[in-house]
């Protein structure tokens, strides 16, 4: 009976606190970043939402049926060059680049598993707030968006950091993703190797900042 109680106590400690380090498989460097690139073509319908004049030049603000709520701005001159004045549709090519990396995995408490992803995001957010050159906004309990890093600005959902359950129920994963698209109707082209390397360096720096910020307090 005594042996049974000891085993039961050890099992209880395992379920409550986890086994070993709470964080493991930490991000090691840019070699951990997975890069995916693809392109697509089609016809986009344009919906104008506003216009304004600046410096004597007229500007159009618009969305398209293939980009959802994302807004674009072009001067009348550039609109005529890329789309054609008077046109409300355009043939386009899009160039998409996705970067993804796992910051770390973490063990979740069996009794508070439902809250573990939220708690992990709070820890990441607190870590990022230590760096004045990084701006973030948090939209829900499981993810946040990088808005700005130094001179690099990102549209909403371009750069996300999220906590999600892993294949094993009591294991979670903190993941970073960059998802950026260039559109020919904005005069943009496919990503150059220099641009891809630049985004990798930005992700590498932010990844290291997150980990440094977390472990500074430990």
């Amino acid at each position: 009976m005594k042996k049974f109680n000891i085993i039961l106590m050890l099992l209880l400690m395992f379920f409550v606190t986890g086994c070993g380090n709470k964080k493991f498989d930490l991000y090691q460097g840019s070699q951990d970043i997975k890069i995916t690139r693809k392109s697509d073509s089609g016809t986009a319908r344009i919906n104008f939402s506003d216009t304004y004049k600046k410096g004597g030049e007229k500007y159009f603000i618009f969305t398209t049926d293939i980009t959802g709520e994302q807004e674009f701005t072009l001067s009348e001159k550039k609109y005529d060059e890329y789309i054609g004045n008077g046109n409300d549709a355009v043939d386009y090519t899009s160039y998409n680049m996705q970067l993804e990396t796992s910051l770390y995995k973490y063990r979740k408490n069996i009794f508070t598993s439902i809250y573990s992803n939220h708690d992990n995001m709070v820890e990441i957010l607190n870590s990022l707030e230590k760096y004045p050159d990084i701006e973030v906004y948090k939209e829900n309990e499981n993810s946040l968006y990088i808005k700005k890093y130094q001179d690099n600005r990102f549209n909403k959902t371009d750069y996300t950091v999220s906590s999600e359950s892993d294949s094993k129920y009591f294991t979670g994963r903190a993941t970073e993703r960059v998802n950026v698209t260039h559109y020919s109707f904005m005069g943009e082209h496919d990503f150059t190797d220099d641009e891809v390397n630049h985004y990798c360096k930005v992700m590498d720096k932010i990844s290291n900042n997150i980990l440094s910020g977390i472990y500074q307090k430990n």
Side-chain angles (χ1 to χ4, degrees), residues 32 44 47 49 55 72 83 90 100 107 118 131 133 160-161 164 174 205 207 217-218:
D32 292 342
N47 302 299
S49 54
F72 302 91
I83 299 173
V90 62
E100 181 175 327
R107 293 185 176 87
H118 169 260
Y131 301 95
D133 56 355
T160 62
V161 184
E164 50 204 45
K205 183 62 176 177
S207 299
K217 68 177 184 179
N218 293 337

Side-chain angles (χ1 to χ4, degrees), residues 16 24 34 47 75 83 108 110-112 119 129 142 149 165:
V16 172
F24 57 102
K34 178 183 177 182
N47 302 299
S75 67
I83 299 173
K108 300 197 288 185
I110 188 172
F111 296 115
T112 61
D119 293 343
E129 287 178 343
N142 293 329
Y149 170 66
S165 295

Side-chain angles (χ1 to χ4, degrees), residues 4-58:
F4 174 79
N5 289 337
I6 293 173
I7 293 173
L8 186 62
M9 185 180 297
L10 290 173
L11 286 172
L12 183 61
M13 290 176 61
F14 170 78
F15 284 128
V16 172
T17 64
C19 179
N21 295 328
K22 291 184 178 180
K23 293 182 176 65
F24 57 102
D25 287 352
L26 271 62
Y27 172 84
Q28 296 297 310
S30 57
Q31 69 273 9
D32 292 342
I33 299 174
K34 178 183 177 182
I35 304 171
T36 305
R37 298 171 65 175
K38 59 184 178 181
S39 62
D40 190 24
S41 298
T43 300
R45 294 294 304 270
I46 295 170
N47 302 299
F48 296 98
S49 54
D50 202 0
T51 62
Y52 65 91
K53 278 193 174 182
K54 182 180 179 182
E57 190 167 14
K58 186 176 183 179

Side-chain angles (χ1 to χ4, degrees), residues 28-202:
Q28 296 297 310
S30 57
Q31 69 273 9
D32 292 342
I33 299 174
K34 178 183 177 182
I35 304 171
T36 305
R37 298 171 65 175
K38 59 184 178 181
S39 62
D40 190 24
S41 298
T43 300
R45 294 294 304 270
I46 295 170
N47 302 299
F48 296 98
S49 54
D50 202 0
T51 62
Y52 65 91
K53 278 193 174 182
K54 182 180 179 182
E57 190 167 14
K58 186 176 183 179
Y59 287 82
F60 299 105
I61 301 175
F62 60 93
T63 60
T64 78
D65 61 339
I66 55 103
T67 54
E69 297 180 357
Q70 183 178 352
E71 286 190 329
F72 302 91
T73 302
L74 283 175
S75 67
E76 187 173 31
K77 180 179 179 181
K78 291 298 183 182
Y79 190 94
D80 186 39
E81 180 180 351
Y82 303 143
I83 299 173
N85 283 334
N87 290 334
D88 62 1
V90 62
D91 293 332
Y92 74 93
T93 301
S94 63
Y95 307 94
N96 178 260
M97 177 190 66
Q98 298 180 40
L99 308 180
E100 181 175 327
T101 192
S102 174
L103 277 168
Y104 54 79
K105 294 180 181 179
Y106 56 94
R107 293 185 176 87
K108 300 197 288 185
N109 186 311
I110 188 172
F111 296 115
T112 61
S113 179
I114 192 171
Y115 303 110
S116 295
N117 288 342
H118 169 260
D119 293 343
N120 187 63
M121 287 312 304
V122 169
E123 189 174 37
I124 291 175
L125 182 62
N126 290 340
S127 172
L128 287 171
E129 287 178 343
K130 298 177 181 179
Y131 301 95
D133 56 355
I134 301 177
E135 292 182 18
V136 303
Y137 39 76
K138 186 172 182 289
E139 187 149 285
N140 59 61
E141 63 181 18
N142 293 329
S143 65
L144 59 82
Y145 304 111
I146 304 293
K147 184 177 182 180
K148 178 178 177 291
Y149 170 66
Q150 296 182 347
D151 295 330
N152 304 275
R153 294 186 176 273
F154 300 95
N155 293 320
K156 190 175 180 181
T157 74
D158 278 358
Y159 198 139
T160 62
V161 184
S162 60
S163 286
E164 50 204 45
S165 295
D166 209 348
S167 55
K168 295 181 179 179
Y169 185 71
F170 296 112
T171 303
R173 169 192 305 270
T175 303
E176 270 183 279
R177 294 183 179 91
V178 169
N179 188 347
V180 184
T181 304
H182 285 177
Y183 297 97
S184 60
F185 59 74
M186 292 297 293
E188 298 171 334
H189 304 280
D190 197 2
F191 295 90
T192 65
D193 290 342
D194 286 344
E195 287 174 315
V196 175
N197 291 333
H198 173 74
Y199 278 104
C200 285
K201 289 178 181 178
V202 169

